[in-house]
Amino acid sequence: MKPLIRLLVSTFALAFLVAPVATAQTPAKRPIRTGDLYRLKVVQSPELSPDGQWVAYTVTTTDSAKDKTNTDVWMTSWDGTQSIQLTSSPDAETTPRWSPDGKYLSFLSSREGGKGSQLWLLDRRGGEAKRVSELKGGIDEYSWAPDSKRIAIVMHDVDDADTSKTATPKPIVLDRYHFKDDDNGYLDSTRSHLYVFDLAAKKAALLAPGKFDESNPTWSPDGKSIAFQSDRASADADRANNPDIYVIEAREGAQPRQLTTFGGPDTGPLAWSPDGQLIAYMRGSEAKFFAYNQDRLAVVPAAGGESRVLTPSLDRPVASPHFTADGKSIVFLFVDDRVEYVAQVAVGGGAVQPITSGRRVVSALSLSKDGKTAVLAGTTVQPWEVYALENGTLRQLSHQNDEILAELTLATTEDVQFKAKDGTDVHGLLIKPVGYVAGTKYPLLLRIHGGPNSQDQHSFSLERELFAANGYAVLNVNYRGSNGRGEAYQQAIFADWGNKEVVDLLAGVDWAIASGVADANRLGIGGWSYGGILTDYTTATTTRFKAAVSGAGSALQSSLYGVDEYIYQYDTELGPPWKSQDLYIKLSYPFYHADRITTPTLYLGGDKDFNVPLVGGEQMYQALRSLNVPTQLVIYPEQHHALTRPSFNYDRLNRYVAWYDKYLKPGTTQAGTIRP
C-alpha cells in the first residue's frame, strides 16, 4: 500500500486533430504536445507577508538542455499588479518565509556550495540574498520566532563516520527495525532534531537531544516556547505509529512536555491561537490504519489538558490549520469527493462552514495578521496558481502558465458515478478526447491512481491531457481505498488488497462501455505505484484489456517484506509472512496466477526505488516473458519512486502512448500521430 507520489510527469505523442482556420487576430489553438513539458511551470508554497501586501511563492521550471528542473522564489502584490522574480540561481530555492517584522524574506537553498539546504535572507530594502547558516546537516524545516531574531530549525544529525560519499566507501551497518527509505536510502541511528538558530550569532542550540525525531516546529505567540511533533510513546519509534504533540521552552536544557495522548498519530502542521492558549493539530485514525489514515482537526490546551476534535462530523481528511486573527475560528483545508476546499470552524465547536466551492482543488493556504488569505488552487484546465481568497471568491494573482494555456485546446473532464456489483456507489472522472464527437466509441484507458489513500480529482493532469490529445478517452476511478469519501470507504480494503478495488475498477469500465463512450474491444489499463499494483491485480482477473502499463508495481507481496520501506504496515496489517502465509499467497495472486494473464504489459521502474522496488516489476516481467506474453521492462537508472530527470519522464510518457497505440489501434499506420 503505497503513498501517493505527486509526480512532475512528461509528455508524449499527440493525435493529429483538424484545427480551425487561424486568423490574424486569433491564432488557432492546438492540443497539448510533447514539448509542452518544458514550458509548463509548477507553482507552489504561497506565503503572505505580515502586512498582507505581498505573496511569496515558488516556481519550478524545466530545462531540456540541462535535463533538470529548477525552483525559484517569486512574489506578487496583493492587488495583482506586480509580479517579481526574486531568485534566479541555477540551484533550487524553496520554502519562502517572511520574518514576522516584515524586513526579510527567507528561503532554503544549497547554492554556492552549501552543505545541504542552508538558510538565506533577502533584505526587503534591496540587495542580494545572503546565506546566514552553514550547518553541517543542512536544514529540513524552519520557523521564525516572533522577535524575528531566532529561528526554530529541524536538522538531521550527521554521522561523522559516514563515508558513503568518499572515494573508498565502507560497509553500511544497520541496526534499525525500519532501515530503509526511498529518498533517504539506508537509515542509520541518527535522527532529526530541533534547534534554535540565533541569527546574530549564527549558531544553533540543540533543544531536544536523544533517540527520537522531531518535526513541525511552531513558535508560541510570546516567543518563549515551541510546539513540535515527535513519536516518543515507545522505546522504538520505528515500531509505532503514534506521534504526539509536545511543547518545549526555547532554551537549552529545557524538557519537552507531552500534550496529546491519543493511541494513533497526532501530527502537524501546528498552529497556536493568538492568545497562546490553544494549539491546533491533526488527529489521525487508529495506528493500525497506517496506509488509510484520515486526519481530523483538533485542539489541545498549551498548558496541558484534554484535547478536543473540532470536526467530529466531517468524515473527510483535513489539513493546514490557521487561527483567524481574532482567535475565534480555525481556517483549514479538507479533501472532499474529487475536490479540495477551504473551510472554517469555530474554536468552541459547531458546524464546519465551507469557504470555497466548485469543482477545483485548493492545496495550500496562508493567512496574514490582517485577515487576508492566499491559496494555491487549480482545476482540470488550470495548473496551480496563487489566488487571493476574498469573501469566498478567488482572484488570480500569479499567471505563470497563462501564455501556454492560451495556445492549448484541453480536454473536457466530467464527474461520473456508478454501482459496483456489490452495490457500492463508486465515483470517478471521465476525460473525453480532444475533439470528442458524441456517438463515437473511443479507445478507453483506465488510469489508476496510487496511494491507495489519495484520489483522482479536479486538478490539472498533464498525463490525462496527453492521452486525450492522442484520441483516448480516460477513466479515473476512485476505488475503495481512496480518500475523499469517508474513513470507512478508504479502510474497506484493509488486509484485502486487489479485491474490492478491482470490482470497482471493472464497474467503471462497464459503465464507460454502456454509456457509449468506450469501445469494448479497445480497452487499456495502467498506473504507477499502487496504480501499477492494481494493474497487475486486474490483468490477472480479466483478459478484457488489450494493453497494460504497470509502473513501479508489485505482485509477489511476500517477496517485498524487508525489501521495501513498509515493514510497519506488513507487520500490523498483514502480520509477518511466517504467521500469515495463506494471506500473503492470497494477496500475491497476480504472480501465482500469471498464467491467466494474456494482456501485453509494459513494466517500468527506477533502479533506486525503495518505495515499490524494481523487483516487483522484474518478477512480473519474467513471468510474462516465460509465458510468451508480449512484455517489456524499462529501467530508469539512479531514479527513486518518483522520476526526477525530465528526459526520463519525457521518455516514460512517450512509451505509454506508443504501447497503447500498438495494441489499441491495430491495423493503422498512426499517420496522424505527432512523434517527438
Side-chain angles (χ1 to χ4, degrees), residues 132 135 196-205:
V132 295
L135 301 170
V196 170
F197 183 76
D198 185 289
L199 281 173
K202 295 185 178 180
K203 291 183 179 180

Side-chain angles (χ1 to χ4, degrees), residues 471-482:
Y472 290 99
V474 181
L475 179 65
N476 295 151
V477 174
N478 286 326
Y479 51 86
R480 275 169 282 187
S482 306

Side-chain angles (χ1 to χ4, degrees), residues 311-351:
T311 57
S313 61
L314 179 65
D315 190 15
R316 295 291 187 269
V318 304
S320 192
H322 293 73
F323 278 89
T324 54
D326 60 12
K328 295 180 180 180
S329 299
I330 298 177
V331 179
F332 60 96
L333 303 176
F334 77 95
V335 178
D336 200 8
D337 183 12
R338 293 163 287 188
V339 292
E340 296 185 34
Y341 293 139
V342 181
Q344 182 170 308
V345 67
V347 171

